[in-house]
Amino acid sequence: MSERPRLTVLSGPSGVGKSTVVAHMRKEHPEVWLSVSATTRSPRPGERHGVHYFFVTDEEMDKLIANGELLEWAEFAGNRYGTPRAAVQERLENGEPVLLEIDLQGARQVRESMSEAQLVFLAPPSWDELVRRLTGRGTEPPEVIERRLEAARTELAAEPEFDVTLVNTSVEGVARELLALMDVV
């Protein structure tokens, strides 16, 4: 076992429940540091700058990318998302467990830049359940949902690229398994 904790990356298709699992886990174990992503999308109701995301302009995002300040970044559904590198490295050096909740593209970039990272794939119990979750949100227009379903098919096919797969049948169960993988419990 190394002295420094490994970076753990949680990824999986949109709608699989990544945010729900992470929220549950952090309620029980607030010492797990969740990286806050920068995004060019507008805040959804209830989202706060610096808490849920760092909401940035396209110009600000261009600068972050150009200066190599992002560990990974991706474009999704017309918006860009990225993980600020410095905060992640600082937490890892301080011995804190760090979790990234990002998409497939981002997970692949992290694997390239931090090969020691542990990549965890969160899978839905079934395709039908994933479709139900994606269409049940009711926050997006049909064309966005269709794009998300298409992306989900691609993301599910990438599962073999990950170190571990967890199936989201129970939020509590998956949160426990994730904590164990991170050596937090």
Side-chain angles (χ1 to χ4, degrees), residues 24 28 49 54 56 58 62 64 73 120 133 136 176:
H24 179 80
E28 305 287 318
H49 180 77
F54 293 110
V56 298
D58 277 316
D62 289 341
L64 290 170
W73 71 274
V120 179
R133 290 179 190 177
R176 258 195 319 276

Side-chain angles (χ1 to χ4, degrees), residues 154-165:
T154 304
E155 289 163 342
L156 284 170
E159 181 185 337
E161 297 174 35
F162 287 75
D163 301 315
V164 182
T165 296

Side-chain angles (χ1 to χ4, degrees), residues 2-133:
S2 60
E3 286 301 301
R4 275 175 49 186
R6 283 162 79 192
L7 170 64
T8 301
V9 174
L10 181 66
S11 195
S14 178
V16 76
K18 295 182 295 290
S19 302
T20 307
V21 167
V22 169
H24 179 80
M25 191 178 95
R26 294 196 63 234
K27 202 168 64 191
E28 305 287 318
H29 289 273
E31 73 273 18
V32 172
W33 187 73
L34 178 69
S35 172
V36 177
S37 297
T39 183
T40 57
R41 83 158 165 75
S42 301
R44 289 184 182 142
E47 287 182 335
R48 295 202 320 275
H49 180 77
V51 176
H52 300 95
Y53 288 95
F54 293 110
F55 295 98
V56 298
T57 64
D58 277 316
E59 295 73 28
E60 289 169 321
M61 185 64 92
D62 289 341
K63 277 189 194 139
L64 290 170
I65 293 166
N67 295 336
E69 292 177 46
L70 298 177
L71 183 58
E72 57 79 31
W73 71 274
E75 189 161 332
F76 186 73
N79 296 298
R80 290 182 291 172
Y81 298 80
T83 302
R85 180 187 302 271
V88 168
Q89 288 177 324
E90 187 183 313
R91 294 292 193 312
L92 287 171
E93 282 161 17
N94 288 342
E96 296 175 50
V98 175
L99 181 66
L100 296 190
E101 178 202 323
I102 53 179
D103 73 352
L104 173 62
Q105 233 180 308
R108 286 173 170 158
Q109 289 177 45
V110 170
R111 163 85 3 113
E112 280 177 30
S113 60
M114 292 182 86
S115 59
E116 73 279 9
Q118 172 174 235
L119 271 55
V120 179
F121 189 86
L122 189 61
S126 68
W127 172 253
D128 290 346
E129 174 62 17
L130 186 63
V131 171
R132 191 187 66 72
R133 290 179 190 177

